Every structure is written in C-alpha cells, then in structure tokens.
C-alpha cells in the first residue's frame, strides 16, 4: 500500500474527483467570429461618435422631438451592437464613445463658448441616453457573464 494518497494522510482533507456525469457548461456561440467582432467594436465606436454629434445638433434644434430622436439613436446603437456581437461589450463600446464625445463637446472654450450643453434638454439627453444604454448593457448576452441569478429551487426554508 502506498502512503502517497491524500486519504491515507491523517489531518489532510481529501477532495473527491469530479463525477463523470457532471454537466459541462454550454459552449459559447457568438453570431460572428473574433476578427469580425473586433472590427464591429471599432465600427460601433465610430458610430457612437457620429450619433453623439448628430444628437447634440438635433436636441437643441427641435424642441421636443430632438431629445427623443437623440436618445433613441444611442439606444438603437447600443441594442444593435449587443445583438450584432452577442456580447455586453457590443453595447458598452458605442455608449462609452457617445458619452466621451458629448462630455468633450460640453467643455467650454477659452473664450467661454460652449460647443454643446448648457441647457436642460442637453442634460436630459445625457440622462435618457445613459439610462437606455445601461439597460442594453445589463440585458443577458451570449457571453459567460450572467446578469440574472440562476433559476431553480431555493434552499431557503422561509419560503
């Protein structure tokens, strides 16, 4: 008998080997391959800049509809990016470039002029656009990170 096995040593816990019938996690299946996904991230980032500039121009030109159109633009881009790539990054990339572009445009020039911002509709565009984009980022995707807890029977006796 060999004394090298873990269960033969006193004071050392032994860890059982995994069972053969253990379920394997499902393989991730993305709509597009890795090179196309990276190219999509770059394109989504550039589209985020375009949507930010367009939304900044439209929000102050058209009193009520500009706000809706500007927020719907980033919402559609974030949702479409997450569907296209199958990842949360597909929704986060256009949101971050959109937010960065709008924040850079709201910095005043040395003369005191603002390129964008300074009104209640500008703040509302930031709020509504970020709210919609965060909801797109939080939606479940094909990646391994789940937002919702696993479903199943609860072990809590109080229920």
């Amino acid at each position: 008998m060999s004394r090298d096995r873990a269960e033969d040593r006193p004071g050392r816990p032994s860890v059982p080997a995994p069972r053969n019938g253990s379920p394997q996690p499902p393989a991730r299946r993305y709509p597009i391959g890795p090179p196309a996904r990276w190219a999509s991230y770059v394109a989504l980032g550039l589209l985020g800049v375009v949507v930010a500039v367009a939304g900044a121009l439209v929000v102050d030109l058209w009193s009520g509809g500009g706000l809706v159109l500007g927020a719907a633009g980033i919402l559609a881009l974030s949702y479409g990016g997450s569907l296209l790539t199958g990842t949360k990054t597909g929704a986060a990339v256009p949101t971050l470039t959109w937010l960065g572009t709008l924040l850079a445009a709201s910095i005043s020039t040395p003369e005191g002029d603002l390129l964008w911002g300074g009104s209640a509709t500008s703040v509302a565009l930031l709020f509504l656009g970020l709210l919609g984009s965060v909801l797109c980022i939080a939606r479940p995707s094909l990646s391994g990170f789940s937002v919702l807890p696993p479903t199943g029977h609860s072990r809590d006796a109080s229920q």
Side-chain angles (χ1 to χ4, degrees):
M1 246 179 136
S2 172
R3 299 288 292 165
D4 292 325
R5 294 187 331 188
E7 61 266 4
D8 291 338
R9 291 185 223 144
R12 289 203 167 238
S14 64
V15 178
R19 294 179 278 160
N20 290 339
S22 297
Q24 296 295 323
R28 297 181 199 158
R29 296 179 51 148
Y30 297 106
I32 56 178
R37 200 167 41 237
W38 283 103
S40 297
Y41 294 151
V42 171
L44 288 168
L46 292 174
L47 284 173
V49 171
V50 170
V51 168
V53 170
L57 293 175
V58 168
V59 73
D60 287 328
L61 292 177
W62 190 16
S63 63
L67 177 62
V68 173
L69 192 61
I74 187 59
L75 177 65
L77 187 60
S78 295
Y79 186 71
S82 68
L83 285 180
L84 173 70
T85 61
T87 63
K88 294 175 189 298
T89 308
V93 166
T95 301
L96 293 175
T97 57
W98 175 82
L99 179 63
T101 303
L102 287 183
L103 290 179
S106 67
I107 297 172
S108 65
T109 62
E111 294 84 20
D113 297 331
L114 283 175
L115 298 174
W116 177 79
S119 66
T121 55
S122 300
V123 174
L125 176 65
L126 277 175
F127 177 74
L128 290 175
L130 283 177
L131 178 67
S133 294
V134 165
L135 291 175
C136 288
I137 294 169
R139 90 181 245 295
S141 66
L142 297 176
S143 67
F145 302 106
S146 176
V147 175
L148 301 174
T151 58
H153 299 291
S154 174
R155 294 185 182 192
D156 188 11
S158 65
Q159 293 181 354

